Amino acid sequence: MSIILDKVNYVYSEKTAYQIQALKDISLKIEDGEFIGVIGHTGSGKSTLIQHFNGLMRATSGGIYYQGQDIYDQDFSFHKLRGKVGLVFQYPEHQLFETTIFADVCFGPKNQGFRKKEAELKAFTALRSVGLPEDYWYRSPFELSGGQKRRVAIAGVLAMEPEVLILDEPTAGLDPKGRDEILDQVAKLHQERQLTVILVSHSMEDVAKYVERLIVMNQGSVLFDGTPQEVFSHYQELESVGLAAPQVTYLMHDLRKHGIQVKGNATTLEEAKHSILQAFAEKGKPIC
């Protein structure tokens, strides 16, 4: 078992007039190798939650365990934890600071204690894995486009060879092509390296397409936790808390309402296509 949260609470500005409870009795188990999506409206607790996974924020109460160890034990190393549970922030500029891209990606392994040659090899492997062309590697990271900066930020975390990769809105502000390229690369890394991936996103279509499990945050609590099909079947409850389901979910609902007996809770275009073709095949009607 990778990460366990046991009745975790977090309060901002505790015991002041500005006190806000951001997390309320959160209990979760994140298994090794899962691809998890986290969604919720602004202020629902998503970012606060993920910053607890690697100890960037300390719970007001409750327990957090990584690979069976209590991360709040006195002898537990947060330095080692952050090498194993890597977080890529929403704005890559917050993680980029070196004069060149290659130096930036080398920083993490060097900070872990690896020698220069070893750190460079890890940086080389990480940059290749995110698909950034080599002719960019010795440029300033601040000369890059938004999508390229995100690739470098992801490479900087991957160079530390984490077991868990957390991505906070990695496609914010990107065009559809850039969004697909980043998420396809993440999905490939998940498959090839058996990484545990936790993806925070506002895009229902993205989480439906890529994740295996979906956690919905609302007012600091977990509202739903299940497969995308299970979660998006509650689209009316999601709407009541300021969220929505993928457009395909509404299409399938409308088809059923008009007497076309499509089966299942399709959340992606591919699932919808299969379900619609099957419905017409069972009726013996050709599809023009």
Side-chain angles (χ1 to χ4, degrees):
M1 221 168 273
S2 182
I3 302 172
I4 297 174
L5 276 67
D6 182 25
K7 296 180 180 177
V8 168
N9 290 276
Y10 185 78
V11 180
Y12 285 100
S13 305
E14 190 177 18
K15 297 178 182 176
T16 73
Y18 304 102
Q19 177 172 311
I20 297 172
Q21 185 160 4
L23 298 179
K24 303 172 186 174
D25 285 325
I26 302 290
S27 292
L28 290 170
K29 291 181 182 178
I30 309 297
E31 302 284 0
D32 291 333
E34 285 193 291
F35 197 144
I36 296 173
V38 180
I39 61 173
H41 58 80
T42 302
S44 62
K46 304 185 303 295
S47 292
T48 303
L49 174 68
I50 61 172
Q51 289 182 64
H52 278 72
F53 289 149
N54 71 347
L56 283 178
M57 300 182 81
R58 187 183 181 95
T60 306
S61 65
I64 300 178
Y65 304 86
Y66 179 72
Q67 303 295 31
Q69 290 184 282
D70 185 342
I71 72 168
Y72 298 138
D73 277 350
Q74 199 168 13
D75 59 350
F76 188 85
S77 170
F78 281 110
H79 180 71
K80 287 184 180 177
L81 175 66
R82 287 164 194 157
K84 294 297 182 184
V85 182
L87 173 59
V88 180
F89 291 100
Q90 179 175 352
Y91 301 105
E93 292 82 1
H94 294 175
Q95 289 177 249
L96 306 176
F97 56 89
E98 288 279 10
T99 53
T100 70
I101 290 160
F102 193 75
D104 209 294
V105 179
C106 283
F107 177 83
K110 283 182 180 176
N111 197 39
Q112 288 177 304
F114 289 100
R115 294 177 183 174
K116 183 173 182 287
K117 292 270 187 192
E118 292 173 304
E120 288 177 349
L121 180 59
K122 290 177 186 293
F124 177 88
T125 304
L127 283 164
R128 289 289 296 272
S129 72
V130 298
L132 191 72
E134 289 185 35
D135 55 342
Y136 283 85
W137 293 8
Y138 297 97
R139 299 184 190 181
S140 165
F142 301 103
E143 294 177 9
L144 302 178
S145 68
Q148 290 166 337
K149 285 178 185 174
R150 282 185 170 84
R151 287 176 189 263
V152 175
I154 293 169
V157 171
L158 290 176
M160 295 188 286
E161 298 181 344
E163 295 170 350
V164 181
L165 177 64
I166 304 171
L167 301 152
D168 190 2
E169 297 283 357
T171 61
L174 298 185
D175 60 29
K177 183 175 182 289
R179 185 181 71 228
D180 289 346
E181 285 177 352
I182 291 287
L183 292 178
D184 285 347
Q185 202 71 46
V186 169
K188 184 181 176 187
L189 289 165
H190 165 69
Q191 195 169 43
E192 290 179 350
R193 299 193 183 190
Q194 298 301 300
L195 276 174
T196 303
V197 177
I198 301 171
L199 170 68
V200 177
S201 180
H202 275 103
S203 169
M204 302 303 109
E205 277 71 23
D206 286 347
V207 292
K209 180 178 178 181
Y210 291 97
V211 311
E212 303 155 347
R213 175 183 169 194
L214 190 54
I215 296 168
V216 183
M217 295 294 295
N218 181 53
Q219 296 182 350
S221 299
V222 174
L223 180 62
F224 295 114
D225 181 357
T227 66
Q229 291 81 5
E230 290 167 344
V231 170
F232 288 131
S233 69
H234 299 282
Y235 63 91
Q236 291 175 317
E237 292 99 317
L238 292 174
E239 288 172 352
S240 72
V241 297
L243 298 173
Q247 290 299 311
V248 163
T249 300
Y250 296 101
L251 169 66
M252 300 299 275
H253 174 74
D254 287 345
L255 289 174
R256 279 192 285 267
K257 199 161 70 173
H258 287 85
I260 301 172
Q261 298 305 309
V262 288
K263 295 177 182 176
N265 296 310
T267 58
T268 67
L269 286 172
E270 194 59 37
E271 289 171 355
K273 172 186 166 185
H274 177 76
S275 186
I276 291 167
L277 288 172
Q278 188 177 33
F280 279 89
E282 287 174 359
K283 278 198 163 191
K285 292 183 179 180
I287 301 216
C288 301

